[in-house]
Amino acid sequence: AVALALSALVVVLSLRFGTHAGPLWRDEVHTVNLANEPRYADFLGRLHLDSTPALYPTVVRAWSALGWRDEDAALRVLGFLVAAGAVPVLWLAVRVLGLPVPLVSLALLGAHPTVLRALGSVRPYGLGAVLVVLAFAAIGRLTSSPRLGVFVLAAVASILAVQTLYQNAVLILAMCVAGAAASAAARDWKAGARVLGAGMAAALSLLPYTNVLIRSQDWRPLNYDDFGAGWVLEELAVTLSGSSTVLLAIWVLAFGGALYGAVRLLRASPPGPRAPAERRRGLYAVLTLVCATAAQVTLHKLSGRIPQPWHFVPLMAVMALCLETLLLRTTRFPWARLAVAATAVAAVLPASIAQVGVRQTNVDLIVRHLERSARAGDL
């Protein structure tokens, strides 16, 4: 019942964002202009001017080609569909991982203002987060069930994730390393090989972008700064908090509970080939939590790309699912997930309601004012 209520809340908040965001803001306009080049070949030739692969702009191009009368409103509908679609994907992900219902992930993500705005914006970060959730679940299932169908799902989800966001490549790498390690701990070499195979498929799918990334180095120094890993972690903590110290404390407590759950699981389950599936997935979750965070921080540090809050949304999605998986293992405290979910929503909901109701630009208001009041000679 709580999970269904949280799902409905996410949809309502996403609808509020879509109806209050107004016209597209600067970065969204850039995505739409790039996607709607006169010819698709022109669009592909300009990919080096953006920081994302071709998948999401192609989706925007196809959506715009349907001939909407009000394109801004139509694109807000597209953003709402991505945001609302994140809910069934989360439900699917937890079922694939063998969990009952999404509680922690829905609470920490679905009511978070930064996540809601990223999901609903006409930028690739929302779709990238949705696809990385699917990839996390598929790779986690593959660690204990190396069937061909599961491998295909993991490979396809991983490819789509990296084709939406370059930065998802380091998250997929972290998942594959964690999954291979969990399989190796159970001496299931077939599962480990297929986990690495899914990651290799995703890596190979990025080879066509080699020249694009090389050409993009011409403008990337404009967005470069020299900062340390500690500063990136501080920015991540600020993003996790969602402007609420209480929510940040809940994340910290959830991390502590997840660590406790991981220790209990690993101590209670026998290692080796007889290890149950939940042990493998628990080990996969705790290793992914560490590796994915380290990989994202390292990426920002090495690239010098100044992190923005929306850059952390795919990582936050992975974190939330890891915590969901591990908190379920705290069998001594069966109410832990419910308590985390309820407290997180209570802490962040007022800020979320306010922030998703803010329009993303005021340029259209300025234009209307100028149309009414501008006179010859004003310049």
Side-chain angles (χ1 to χ4, degrees):
V2 173
L4 289 172
L6 289 174
S7 300
L9 177 64
V10 174
V11 174
V12 170
L13 290 174
S14 299
L15 182 61
R16 176 173 170 81
F17 177 80
T19 54
H20 287 75
L24 307 182
W25 75 287
R26 181 199 63 205
D27 286 11
E28 294 174 311
V29 171
H30 168 72
T31 296
V32 174
N33 286 345
L34 177 67
N36 290 325
E37 287 285 338
R39 298 182 306 156
Y40 194 71
D42 297 333
F43 152 64
L44 293 177
R46 292 179 178 271
L47 273 179
H48 67 286
L49 299 176
D50 199 10
S51 56
T52 56
L55 180 59
Y56 185 77
T58 300
V59 171
V60 172
R61 183 182 183 89
W63 184 261
S64 299
L66 296 178
W68 304 97
R69 179 174 298 179
D70 185 340
E71 189 172 4
D72 277 12
L75 289 167
R76 289 294 175 216
V77 172
L78 176 62
F80 170 74
L81 292 177
V82 172
V87 174
V89 169
L90 270 177
W91 278 83
L92 174 63
V94 297
R95 299 303 295 172
V96 168
L97 290 168
L99 308 178
V101 293
L103 280 177
V104 174
S105 51
L106 273 173
L108 292 178
L109 296 176
H112 198 290
T114 299
V115 175
L116 288 166
R117 292 167 67 182
L119 288 174
S121 295
V122 188
R123 290 289 286 161
Y125 297 97
L127 183 60
V130 171
L131 291 172
V132 90
V133 162
L134 189 59
F136 174 84
I139 294 172
R141 182 64 173 265
L142 191 58
T143 61
S144 58
S145 179
R147 294 177 299 176
L148 181 59
V150 180
F151 167 73
V152 171
L153 175 61
V156 171
S158 299
I159 290 171
L160 292 176
V162 302
Q163 289 292 320
T164 307
L165 287 172
Y166 292 122
Q167 71 180 55
N168 277 352
V170 298
L171 300 181
I172 296 297
L173 173 62
M175 294 175 202
C176 290
V177 169
S183 300
R187 300 174 192 169
D188 190 341
W189 312 118
K190 180 180 179 181
R194 289 198 165 177
V195 166
L196 294 177
M200 184 62 68
L204 291 175
S205 75
L206 289 176
L207 285 180
Y209 293 98
T210 302
N211 187 52
V212 172
L213 293 173
I214 292 174
R215 293 178 65 192
S216 71
Q217 297 306 312
D218 292 341
W219 61 264
R220 287 191 182 276
L222 298 173
N223 193 33
Y224 177 85
D225 201 355
D226 187 16
F227 46 79
W231 184 75
V232 180
L233 287 172
E234 289 178 13
E235 292 300 302
L236 173 60
V238 170
T239 303
L240 291 176
S241 73
S243 304
S244 168
T245 306
V246 175
L247 182 60
L248 180 60
I250 292 169
W251 277 95
V252 174
L253 289 174
F255 284 128
L259 180 60
Y260 171 78
V263 171
R264 279 184 58 86
L265 177 65
L266 296 177
R267 290 180 62 183
S269 303
R274 293 183 299 170
E278 67 173 13
R279 176 188 171 91
R280 298 193 200 185
R281 292 174 193 166
L283 183 57
Y284 166 69
V286 73
L287 290 176
T288 298
L289 189 61
V290 174
C291 294
T293 304
Q296 177 104 22
V297 171
T298 302
L299 174 67
H300 282 292
K301 176 67 179 71
L302 294 180
S303 67
R305 186 182 184 190
I306 303 170
Q308 301 294 337
W310 50 85
H311 293 158
F312 294 118
V313 169
L315 173 63
M316 291 170 63
V318 173
M319 285 179 163
L321 272 176
C322 290
L323 296 177
E324 186 94 65
T325 303
L326 294 169
L327 284 174
L328 188 66
R329 312 307 175 191
T330 57
T331 52
R332 187 174 295 179
F333 306 108
W335 43 263
R337 288 197 312 144
L338 186 59
V340 168
T343 312
V345 171
V348 78
L349 188 57
S352 295
I353 293 174
Q355 291 186 37
V356 298
V358 176
R359 56 173 31 244
Q360 302 300 288
T361 182
N362 62 359
V363 169
D364 60 313
L365 302 180
I366 295 171
V367 169
R368 290 176 193 169
H369 172 73
L370 292 176
E371 285 176 342
R372 289 194 304 268
S373 61
R375 298 291 182 270
D378 280 353
L379 182 58

